[in-house]
Amino acid sequence: MTEYHIKGNNALFGELNLQGSKNASLPILAATLLTSARSVIHNCPDLSDVHQSIKILTSLGCECSFENNTAIIDSTNADGVMIDDELMTSMRSSIIYLGAILSRNNRAILSYPGGCELGPRPIDLHLSAIKSMGAEIDDTRGRIECSTVDGLVGREVVLPIASVGATENIILAACLAKGRTVIRNAAKEPEIVDLANFLNSCGARINGAGEVTIIIDGVKKLYGTEYSVQPDRIAAATYLCAAAATGGRVKINNVVPTHLLPVLQYYSNAGCQMDIGDSSIEIAAPKKLSPVGTIKTREYPGFPTDAQPLFLAMSSVAKGTSVFEENIFNSRYRYVDGLNKLGANISGHDSVAVVKGTNSLYGTKVDVTDLRGGAALIIGGLCAKGKTIVTDSGHISRGYEKISENLLNLGAEITRY
Ligand code: UD1
């Protein structure tokens, strides 16, 4: 169990170099399987989810190393087709390996990733798309066994929901498939674009990533490459919310500001001054924040569900009421109990949360329920009077690299035990 001890009520000041993106690096690591060669991936964040991915790749026969944010994956001998149950359930996004393993080895055996802290996480869209591309799927024995007789075949796939993971899985399945795959109502998140850029630099033919229709023309072979993962837009939003909530001034370097367009206006709504550079964002917060207004989570380019807990924590110390509507994951408010324990005034039901800003939060012991909820509790602790202890069974290190060191450098009093 990890504990973050925070002595709050300190404004954050200074500069920060942003980590690489978790949600981009995970599918890119899975994509290295398609190359049967050596790939060098820079700006890969040092996170437990990344290390789990490397364990999966190793278990499938890859030779892997990870040093100074560079992952080197040699998938020449990755003939494995099965992911161990424990590895599969330890990281929900391991379902992303389905398309890659099947495409490479004509067979894949995975267990169900199961539910997670955000509620049920169905994979029906992943399975039906892979099936339509020619895979036989048997899920009658408590695990998913997929096979193809003569490889996958390109198809038109219309997604009823613009699922990020399903879009990534289809892209991975389609790169080496015979013929053309067209994904309609594809997810448009920047992480999809990063995956497509990585694969195209390996010789894939993917067009339209980041748009509603993605077209993939199958190629016979992919090559190893050297690639740098894009910056983490959700980690950027986290540090900006922490700066805003504490009334500080923080500059974030190595960021892609356009990736944060869906959230930037809400910092301005709260009364923060934003200075946007080519690859930096500086926020200067007023002493007391105004309410952000109404935030409704949507698929990109809508407001990201992953940033909802961060803005909700920030809104709990604003002068006035903000309203949140969660439209992607139904169980995404479990962390709210922790914020209320710190003295926040958050009520609501189902998908809606109403936050009445309070003058101050007060430190106490709170438990992390999920990754971004954990970051919200750290933001709460940073603005609370007295000592907050955030107890975490490992969620935060799934997504944040050196969060306590980064906050310490910005003037927070935080220690990780
Ligand atoms: C990814 C991100 C996660 C982010 C989410 C939404 C990674 C590793 N994780 O998760 O941080 O919060 O996108 O931006 O990149 N759905 C189905 N059936 C399916 C697949 C999804 O019904 O087969 C539903 C989900 O329950 C959810 C919605 O579609 O309600 C969106 O989920 P999806 O975009 O697939 O999220 P993930 O890819 O799991």
Side-chain angles (χ1 to χ4, degrees):
M1 194 65 86
T2 304
E3 285 188 355
Y4 297 86
H5 290 216
I6 306 167
K7 207 163 148 272
N9 213 16
N10 265 347
L12 301 185
F13 285 99
E15 288 194 32
L16 172 88
N17 288 329
L18 189 60
Q19 68 181 62
S21 164
K22 169 176 94 73
N23 287 353
S25 54
L26 300 181
I28 287 174
L29 285 168
T32 61
L33 275 180
L34 297 178
T35 65
S36 304
R38 181 175 180 271
S39 295
V40 180
I41 301 160
H42 301 293
N43 204 32
C44 201
D46 193 347
L47 304 170
S48 57
D49 268 8
V50 165
H51 293 293
Q52 285 301 116
S53 302
I54 288 176
K55 275 190 195 162
I56 291 177
L57 289 166
T58 306
S59 78
L60 293 170
C62 295
E63 277 184 33
C64 308
S65 71
F66 184 91
E67 209 176 333
N68 295 329
N69 296 106
T70 294
I72 301 179
I73 314 292
D74 187 337
S75 64
T76 310
N77 299 314
D79 299 329
V81 295
M82 185 166 157
I83 301 182
D84 186 78
D85 278 6
E86 202 187 311
L87 284 172
M88 195 64 203
T89 46
S90 63
M91 192 179 64
R92 197 262 166 193
S93 47
S94 44
I95 190 63
I96 206 66
Y97 282 87
L98 179 63
I101 298 176
L102 188 62
S103 171
R104 173 171 173 141
N105 294 326
N106 288 335
R107 214 170 150 226
I109 305 172
L110 275 62
S111 57
Y112 268 93
C116 81
E117 55 276 5
L118 304 183
R121 300 286 287 259
I123 53 166
D124 54 313
L125 303 178
H126 300 244
L127 296 185
S128 59
I130 299 285
K131 201 170 176 179
S132 77
M133 294 174 75
E136 297 262 329
I137 301 181
D138 177 357
D139 57 357
T140 53
R141 279 173 282 195
R143 58 187 196 181
I144 311 158
E145 298 192 25
C146 297
S147 58
T148 63
V149 181
D150 196 19
L152 292 162
V153 184
R155 284 279 181 264
E156 170 160 326
V157 181
V158 183
L159 288 173
I161 302 172
S163 154
V164 175
T167 303
E168 292 167 346
N169 235 335
I170 300 166
I171 292 175
L172 290 168
C175 283
L176 296 172
K178 285 188 202 79
R180 172 173 279 196
T181 300
V182 179
I183 313 175
R184 301 211 185 271
N185 193 29
K188 301 198 270 291
E189 270 69 2
E191 293 76 20
I192 304 281
V193 179
D194 217 23
L195 172 63
N197 287 344
F198 169 78
L199 284 164
N200 283 343
S201 80
C202 298
R205 289 177 57 204
I206 306 167
N207 282 297
E211 293 164 32
V212 71
T213 302
I214 301 178
I215 299 174
I216 305 128
D217 286 306
V219 295
K220 288 227 151 45
K221 187 175 163 58
L222 295 179
Y223 302 89
T225 191
E226 191 159 351
Y227 191 80
S228 193
V229 175
Q230 71 185 19
D232 195 311
R233 62 194 171 106
I234 304 299
T238 305
Y239 292 111
L240 292 172
C241 284
T246 59
R249 183 185 193 109
V250 168
K251 184 175 180 192
I252 303 196
N253 298 315
N254 305 341
V255 66
V256 180
T258 50
H259 292 173
L260 281 110
L261 283 179
V263 302
L264 288 178
Q265 76 175 90
Y266 296 99
Y267 296 112
S268 305
N269 288 2
C272 301
Q273 300 279 349
M274 306 304 290
D275 187 358
I276 315 291
D278 289 342
S279 60
S280 68
I281 300 179
E282 182 165 9
I283 187 167
K287 276 219 154 47
K288 191 76 189 165
L289 293 173
S290 301
V292 292
T294 298
I295 285 182
K296 299 181 181 190
T297 64
R298 298 265 181 242
E299 295 85 2
Y300 193 87
F303 187 94
T305 172
D306 289 352
Q308 173 255 94
L310 319 168
F311 277 79
L312 200 146
M314 171 183 134
S315 302
S316 65
V317 291
K319 192 173 181 223
T321 300
S322 304
V323 178
F324 290 77
E325 186 184 293
E326 173 55 48
N327 296 304
I328 310 292
F329 293 112
N330 16 7
S331 305
R332 194 136 210 186
Y333 288 123
R334 289 175 57 209
Y335 66 93
V336 158
D337 287 346
L339 283 178
N340 279 340
K341 212 171 153 196
L342 292 171
N345 185 347
I346 305 160
S347 57
H349 58 88
D350 299 334
S351 62
V352 176
V354 178
V355 191
K356 289 188 182 143
T358 54
N359 268 337
S360 195
L361 300 179
Y362 296 91
T364 185
K365 196 166 179 175
V366 287
D367 296 325
V368 173
T369 54
D370 64 276
L371 167 59
R372 306 301 170 188
L377 294 181
I378 288 195
I379 293 172
L382 291 171
C383 5
K385 288 187 174 146
K387 186 171 176 179
T388 300
I389 299 177
V390 178
T391 313
D392 181 18
S393 62
H395 298 284
I396 292 175
S397 55
R398 284 186 42 231
Y400 292 97
E401 182 180 277
K402 298 194 181 115
I403 190 168
S404 48
E405 288 90 330
N406 285 338
L407 292 169
L408 197 69
N409 286 338
L410 296 174
E413 288 187 55
I414 179 168
T415 315
R416 182 179 188 270
Y417 293 97

